[in-house]
């Protein structure tokens, strides 16, 4: 019986990491990929449906842990109290920023919200890494190993956010600026038609990009001109920056993962109960990263980053004997029978939501 | 106070729960107005009524955001600060909360997302159906939370095995009288909250002779009708709860004997002042409201409900009564239970996580401050949008004309790598 609860829990956590990876990662990258006001707005409106639809997975996971696997919950959450307080704080500030940003009328209000979104996203990513490191390391979170895990997690989330941004930060046709002011999606257009671009194409696009304009000092200067035309320009630069970031981020994740794997051998490193399984699962994770950082462009990184994040709960489950007790019949009956009628709605709602928001909204909505 | 982790954790829980409930009560109370408003607009294909739905819906979403943020903190606070509760009662207390988050909240939030993002993208009946799901799951959410809370107040259907409580009888847990009575009382009192907010906002605009699409005239009438109808069920269900005060819960005796229970209770009852304040807030404001309702109905009969400023201006502060009563009610219910976290079975002191004073102080300061700021910001926003009216609300339709005219026409291509 407990196997069902464990699979449910792992599934919810994996679903959370895959979906929330998009909005957390993009939130982490906001200072780099979304520099103008229009770009920041677009970034937030890309994140909004994802954060609404993804954090319910995590709450569901917390619910399963509380109701069906209380021993696991006590061991994990109570054992790493500071990490989870940080996680909760990051979650709170990030959500507050996302919910309130569209309601702010002034520059300062939006800046505060942006700070909440960016800081909260980083806090979330790093604390998830620490939590995984702590789980694998037997509860200690201030070890080189756990810190390595935190860096790996941050890079993985950022990678997922970059892949997501490369797709969703392209302005909708007909919005300000998309028609005339800036170059149409440079990298985006190329790789969309030419399939997987070769490495050279990715790093040396032919159309002007933010990096080249900044280096050359010509073209729209982004942050330097508050209130000017550049501040509202809505181009595909953000999408290009994100697309270009996927490769270095995948490499960073690979390096951090290798470092963490190395640190796990140090004294005080990982204390897995099943070393072989742990090694195999970690290898899987690293292999996926290596695949992304190799020849393929941003195209594949959506899938590989998703797979890498989804494999995290698998790594943990394979490596550690977490304290799970058989779920007693009474609770199983209560939860099972109450939940069964909800499942069709859960599936329908999630599929519908994510399908619907593949098309950018025709008009500005609640969040941006 | 900062060197007593137990006191800090209790005050923190009480503050966050109280704030959470203020927002949740409005969610529960406003949802039916929006649902039936949208039903009317959809049946009549009436754009004007739909603009009213967008206005109230904007307030609903701003308020929902804070319900979610505070709910998150509640949930994780239970996990972080009150682990004694889940160590012993994890299966019995945690299971209904698991159903709440997994079933009700998961569906509620997803469908609210569909409703927010679906305004111009789905058929009108599908869009209405989304909000019907949101309303139903909001009440379902409240029911399951009250199964958990009713269990603390009146534990039933339990069996102890190795010091851990197991659910022996799920049906008894779900039909707990403490849960059902509280659900009834809360359902109707939330309607009082919702209708008084609708009345107050409508009255403000009517008093300033601002009634676009005649939406506030409709608002004050519907509000008055629901307000008057909800008053008596509220007091009936509330009074019925007193009957449980003298009953010993069926599960009593599983952990402590009667003598031990009496000794613990002799030492730890909460000061009676809380009860008195809670009682007075509820019954006092109910009394006032039952005087106000006939006045409103009388003015309605005279056909002056949307005109007389002398009546309209005081109505703007009407929501303070049901909101005050709601906080008072919870104050009564929760302090009545002291010194127990689970009546007769687990003391509040034993329910708390072993925390150092420093841990407790960090968590208290961080979350109480964040809460104060967020709740204030949400409140300011709610008042601002309520005063602004339907033009420029968070869900207001995009303005037409100008540079925007081309926007809705083009169905923008999806960009994919
Ligand atoms: C609009 C709000 C409102 C109003 C007008 C009233 N109440 Fe209430 N009351 C609540 C809102 C509320 C509440 C916030 O919803 C509580 C808290 C817990 C609960 O079950 O409902 C509550 C709790 C509560 C309890 C505590 C139950 C317990 O300890 O388990 C009692 C005995 C009453 N109420 C009785 C009354 C009576 C006799 C009222 C009228 C004279 C009354 N309430 C008006
Ligand atoms: C269903 C939801 C609720 C549950 C499960 C719940 C549970 C708890 C728990 C575990 C505590 C700490 C232990 C204790 O002091 O007894 C507590 C304290 C408290 N809660 Fe609740 N609570 C709920 C809703 C609320 C709400 C909505 C309020 C609103 C005002 C509230 C007000 C309080 C107060 C005032 C205390 C402090 C009591 C004291 O220390 O004397 N509770 N509650
Ligand atoms: C121990 C007490 C409580 C806990 C742990 C709790 C937990 C939560 C959580 C986690 C959320 C937001 C979910 C999210 O964003 O992920 C939420 C929202 C909600 N809660 Fe609570 N809650 C408590 C008390 C109550 C009470 C007393 C009621 C009503 C009677 C209630 C009704 C709701 C409703 C209707 C929502 C939906 C959001 C909204 O409508 O604003 N909760 N709650």
């Amino acid at each position: 019986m407990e196997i069902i609860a464990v699979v449910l829990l792992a599934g919810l956590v994996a679903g959370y990491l895959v979906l929330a990876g998009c909005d957390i990662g993009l939130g982490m990258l906001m200072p780099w990929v979304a520099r103008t006001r229009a770009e920041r707005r677009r970034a937030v409106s890309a994140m909004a449906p994802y954060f609404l639809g993804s954090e319910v997975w995590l709450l569901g996971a917390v619910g399963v842990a509380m109701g069906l696997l209380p021993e696991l919950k006590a061991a994990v959450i109570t054992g790493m109290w500071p990490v989870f307080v940080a996680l909760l704080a990051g979650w709170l500030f990030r959500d507050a920023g996302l919910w309130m940003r569209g309601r702010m009328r002034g520059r300062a209000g939006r800046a505060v919200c942006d700070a909440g979104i960016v800081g909260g996203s980083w806090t979330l990513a790093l604390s998830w890494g620490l939590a995984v490191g702590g789980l694998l390391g037997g509860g200690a979170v201030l070890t080189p190993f756990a810190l390595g895990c935190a860096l790996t997690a941050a890079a993985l989330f950022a990678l997922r956010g970059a892949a997501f941004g490369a797709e969703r930060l392209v302005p909708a046709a007909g919005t300000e600026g998309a028609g005339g002011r800036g170059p149409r999606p440079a990298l985006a257009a190329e790789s969309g038609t030419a399939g997987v671009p070769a490495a050279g194409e990715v790093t040396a696009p032919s159309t002007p990009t933010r990096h080249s304009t900044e280096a050359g000092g010509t073209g729209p200067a982004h942050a330097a001109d508050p209130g000017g035309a550049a501040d509202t320009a809505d181009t595909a630069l953000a999408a290009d920056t994100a697309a270009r970031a996927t490769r270095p981020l995948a490499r960073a994740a690979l390096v951090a993962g290798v470092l963490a794997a190395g640190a796990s051998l140090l004294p005080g490193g990982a204390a897995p109960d099943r070393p072989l399984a742990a090694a195999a699962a970690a290898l899987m994770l690293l292999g996926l990263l290596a695949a992304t950082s190799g020849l393929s462009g941003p195209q594949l990184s959506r899938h590989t980053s998703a797979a890498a994040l989804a494999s995290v709960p698998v790594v943990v489950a394979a490596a550690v004997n977490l304290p799970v007790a058989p779920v007693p019949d009474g609770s199983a009956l209560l939860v099972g029978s109450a939940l069964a009628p909800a499942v069709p709605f859960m599936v329908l709602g999630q599929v519908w939501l994510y399908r619907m928001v593949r098309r950018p909204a025709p008009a500005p909505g609640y969040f941006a | 106070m900062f060197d007593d982790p137990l006191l800090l954790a209790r005050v923190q829980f009480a503050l966050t729960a109280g704030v959470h409930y203020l927002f949740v009560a409005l969610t529960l109370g406003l949802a039916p107005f929006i649902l039936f408003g949208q039903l009317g607009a959809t049946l009549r294909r009436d754009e004007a009524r739909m603009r009213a739905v967008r206005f109230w819906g904007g307030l609903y979403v701003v308020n929902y955001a804070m319900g979610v943020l505070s709910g998150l903190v509640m949930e994780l606070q239970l996990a972080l600060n009150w682990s004694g509760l889940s160590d012993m009662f994890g299966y019995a207390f945690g299971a209904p909360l698991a159903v709440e988050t997994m079933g009700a909240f998961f569906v509620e939030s997803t469908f609210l997302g569909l409703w927010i993002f679906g305004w111009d993208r789905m058929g009108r009946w599908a869009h209405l159906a989304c909000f019907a799901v949101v309303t139903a799951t909001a009440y379902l959410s409240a029911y399951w939370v009250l199964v958990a809370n009713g269990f603390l107040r009146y534990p039933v259907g339990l069996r102890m095995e190795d010091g851990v409580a197991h659910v022996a009888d799920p049906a008894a847990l779900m039909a707990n009288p403490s849960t059902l009575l509280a659900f009834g009382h809360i359902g109707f009192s939330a309607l009082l909250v919702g209708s008084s907010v609708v009345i107050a906002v409508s009255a403000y605009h009517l008093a300033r002779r601002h009634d676009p699409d005649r939406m506030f005239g409709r608002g004050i009438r519907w509000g008055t009708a629901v307000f008057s109808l909800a008053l008596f069920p509220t007091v009936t269900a509330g009074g019925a709860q007193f009957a449980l005060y003298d009953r010993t819960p069926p599960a009593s005796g599983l952990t402590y004997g009667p003598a031990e229970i009496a000794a613990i209770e002799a030492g730890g009852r909460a000061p009676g002042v809380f009860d008195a304040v809670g009682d007075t807030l509820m019954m006092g404001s109910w009394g006032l409201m039952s005087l106000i309702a006939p006045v409103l109905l009388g003015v309605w009969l005279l056909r002056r409900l949307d005109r007389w400023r002398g009546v309209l201006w005081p109505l703007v502060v009407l929501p303070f009564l049901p909101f005050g009563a709601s906080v008072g009610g919870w104050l009564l219910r929760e302090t009545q239970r002291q010194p127990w976290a689970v009546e007769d079975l687990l003391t509040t002191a034993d329910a708390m996580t072993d925390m150092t004073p420093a841990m407790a102080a960090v968590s208290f300061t961080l979350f109480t401050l964040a809460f104060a700021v967020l709740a204030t910001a949400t409140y300011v926003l709610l008042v601002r949008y309520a005063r602004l009216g339907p033009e420029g609300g968070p869900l207001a339709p995009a303005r037409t004309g100008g540079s925007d005219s081309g926007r809705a026409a083009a169905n923008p291509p999806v960009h994919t790598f």
Side-chain angles (χ1 to χ4, degrees):
Chain A
M1 186 56 226
E2 71 269 27
I3 188 69
I4 299 182
V6 170
V7 169
L8 190 62
L9 180 63
L12 284 166
V13 173
Y16 166 74
L17 291 175
V18 169
L19 291 169
C22 295
D23 56 274
I24 294 179
L26 191 52
M28 292 165 71
L29 296 178
M30 274 229 319
W32 294 277
V33 302
R35 300 211 195 166
T36 67
R37 205 161 103 194
E39 285 170 349
R40 279 194 294 272
R41 249 195 50 190
R42 197 140 27 78
V44 171
S45 58
M47 286 157 72
Y50 271 75
F51 102 91
L52 252 185
S54 67
E55 67 184 20
V56 298
W57 290 71
L58 179 55
L59 260 163
V62 175
V64 170
M66 288 226 294
L68 296 179
L69 305 164
E71 286 178 36
L72 176 65
K73 192 231 84 187
V76 173
I77 296 193
T78 318
M80 290 189 283
W81 194 90
V83 176
F84 282 94
V85 168
L87 201 143
L88 177 54
W91 188 353
L92 187 66
F93 288 122
R94 199 179 94 94
D95 269 26
L98 282 166
W99 277 109
M100 300 250 175
R101 191 178 191 283
R103 309 276 68 76
M104 293 296 151
R105 285 186 292 199
R107 221 164 233 287
R110 279 195 298 272
V112 170
C113 289
D114 287 342
I117 297 174
V118 176
S121 299
W122 277 94
T123 312
L124 271 180
L126 290 169
S127 14
W128 277 120
L130 277 182
V132 169
L135 274 177
L136 293 175
V141 288
L142 280 181
T143 59
F145 171 68
L147 295 176
C149 288
L151 289 182
T152 314
L156 272 178
F157 274 110
L159 171 63
R160 180 117 182 95
F164 176 68
E167 181 180 314
R168 300 294 170 92
L169 290 180
V170 180
T175 54
E176 334 95 71
R181 237 176 262 157
R184 277 294 296 161
L187 194 60
E190 274 170 33
S191 59
T193 49
V196 182
E201 278 176 289
V202 177
T203 42
S206 49
T207 22
T209 67
R210 173 169 302 118
H211 295 292
S212 56
T213 52
E214 274 177 5
T218 55
H222 276 291
D225 178 17
D231 197 43
T232 49
D234 193 8
T235 68
L237 281 187
D240 287 350
T241 314
R244 201 165 300 105
T246 50
R247 258 159 47 93
L249 282 173
R251 294 205 170 146
L254 185 60
V255 171
V258 169
L259 283 181
S264 73
L265 302 175
L266 298 177
D273 303 312
R274 293 188 287 260
L276 252 184
L283 267 184
M284 190 172 100
L285 204 158
L286 294 179
L288 286 171
L289 289 171
T292 330
S293 64
L295 284 178
S296 49
Q299 202 162 33
L300 271 184
S301 55
R302 272 214 85 167
H303 309 293
T304 47
S305 61
L309 280 171
S311 66
V312 170
V314 181
V315 171
V316 174
V320 208
N321 279 326
L322 290 169
V324 291
V327 179
D329 293 343
S331 298
L333 184 65
L334 181 71
V335 175
S337 57
L339 225 49
V343 171
F345 286 94
M346 293 160 80
V347 175
L348 173 78
Q350 288 274 319
V351 172
W352 194 2
L353 181 64
Y354 289 115
R355 282 188 63 95
M356 187 174 79
V357 299
R358 284 183 72 95
R359 273 186 293 135
Y366 181 85
F367 289 91
Chain B
M1 170 175 151
F2 276 87
D3 47 13
D4 181 358
L6 176 61
L7 189 61
L8 277 182
R10 285 167 71 179
V11 173
Q12 181 184 355
F13 194 93
L15 287 176
T16 48
V19 172
H20 178 62
Y21 187 71
L22 289 182
F23 292 97
V24 165
L26 183 55
T27 301
L28 291 171
L30 210 48
F33 281 92
I34 296 171
L35 179 64
F36 287 103
Q38 186 168 359
L39 178 65
T42 308
L43 279 174
R44 295 185 178 82
R45 289 177 174 273
D46 183 350
E47 274 307 311
R49 276 168 211 259
M50 211 46 134
R51 280 192 289 276
V53 173
R54 284 187 187 252
F55 169 68
W56 298 110
L59 296 183
Y60 181 91
V61 178
V62 171
N63 178 68
Y64 181 86
M66 189 58 202
V68 168
L69 292 179
S70 52
L72 284 178
V73 177
M74 296 276 287
E75 187 92 37
L76 284 130
Q77 197 174 191
L78 280 178
L80 288 170
N81 289 0
W82 298 98
S83 59
L85 204 53
S86 52
D87 288 346
M88 192 189 273
F89 293 97
Y91 291 121
F93 174 73
L97 287 181
V99 176
E100 196 259 351
T101 49
M102 282 278 291
F105 176 69
F106 195 108
V107 176
E108 180 182 5
S109 204
T110 309
F111 277 81
L112 187 69
L114 280 166
W115 191 72
I116 295 176
F117 295 108
W119 272 102
D120 303 307
R121 301 196 237 194
M122 54 169 81
R124 59 205 175 98
W125 287 103
H127 194 237
L128 174 67
C130 287
F131 202 81
V133 174
V134 171
T135 310
T137 44
Y139 279 86
L140 206 60
S141 208
Y143 166 75
W144 282 107
V145 165
L146 289 171
V147 171
N149 181 263
F151 167 81
L152 301 180
R153 190 83 183 77
Y154 193 77
V156 292
L158 285 187
R159 174 163 39 91
M160 284 314 250
E161 274 175 29
D162 308 327
V164 174
H166 285 236
V167 181
D169 185 354
L173 204 62
M174 288 172 65
N176 188 343
S178 173
T179 298
L180 297 181
L181 289 176
F183 185 62
H185 189 50
I186 282 183
F188 287 111
S189 73
L191 285 179
L192 287 179
V193 171
S195 57
S196 67
V197 168
V198 171
I199 292 176
V201 175
S202 301
Y204 173 83
H205 287 280
L206 290 171
R208 301 170 40 133
R209 301 291 182 252
H210 175 236
D211 193 10
D213 302 330
R214 301 176 44 79
M215 59 184 282
F216 294 120
R218 279 198 309 277
I220 200 165
R221 290 192 184 86
W222 276 107
T224 303
V226 173
F227 185 76
S228 316
L229 288 175
L231 269 176
F232 280 93
T234 304
V235 69
T236 314
Q241 288 186 290
F242 283 122
L244 282 182
Y245 277 15
D246 321 316
R247 277 213 252 157
T248 309
S252 176
L254 284 181
T255 58
Y256 293 106
E260 286 169 299
I261 291 178
I264 291 173
E265 293 191 344
R269 278 278 173 225
V273 55
F274 290 118
D275 288 13
V277 170
D279 259 344
T280 317
L281 274 174
M282 273 198 305
M283 290 163 205
S285 56
W286 189 86
L288 283 176
M289 288 190 286
S290 63
L291 296 178
I292 293 170
V295 175
L296 288 182
L297 292 173
V299 179
W300 190 353
L301 266 186
L302 297 177
R303 304 184 159 278
R304 290 291 179 276
L305 196 52
D306 48 10
R307 242 162 293 170
W308 274 354
R309 288 204 167 98
V311 175
L312 291 173
W313 277 123
L315 285 179
V316 172
V317 294
L318 181 65
F320 282 105
L321 291 177
F323 275 122
S326 300
V327 171
W330 278 107
L331 198 63
L332 175 67
R333 183 176 174 97
E334 300 290 313
T335 53
Q336 271 283 328
R337 198 179 61 219
Q338 298 306 313
W340 301 104
V342 184
E343 187 80 30
D344 290 1
L345 297 178
L346 178 73
T347 62
T348 307
D350 291 337
M352 206 188 70
T353 312
D354 273 325
M355 285 193 286
T356 62
M359 282 159 86
V362 166
S363 144
F364 182 84
T365 319
L366 185 67
F367 292 116
T368 314
L369 267 182
F371 245 64
V373 173
L374 290 178
T376 313
T378 308
Y379 176 77
V380 169
L381 285 174
L382 279 174
V383 171
R384 184 207 288 170
Y385 285 117
R387 292 176 50 172
L388 204 58
E391 306 86 10
L395 289 179
R399 285 174 195 77
T400 43
S403 63
D404 283 348
S405 52
R407 184 180 291 176
N411 218 345
V414 179
H415 188 89
T416 34
F417 267 99

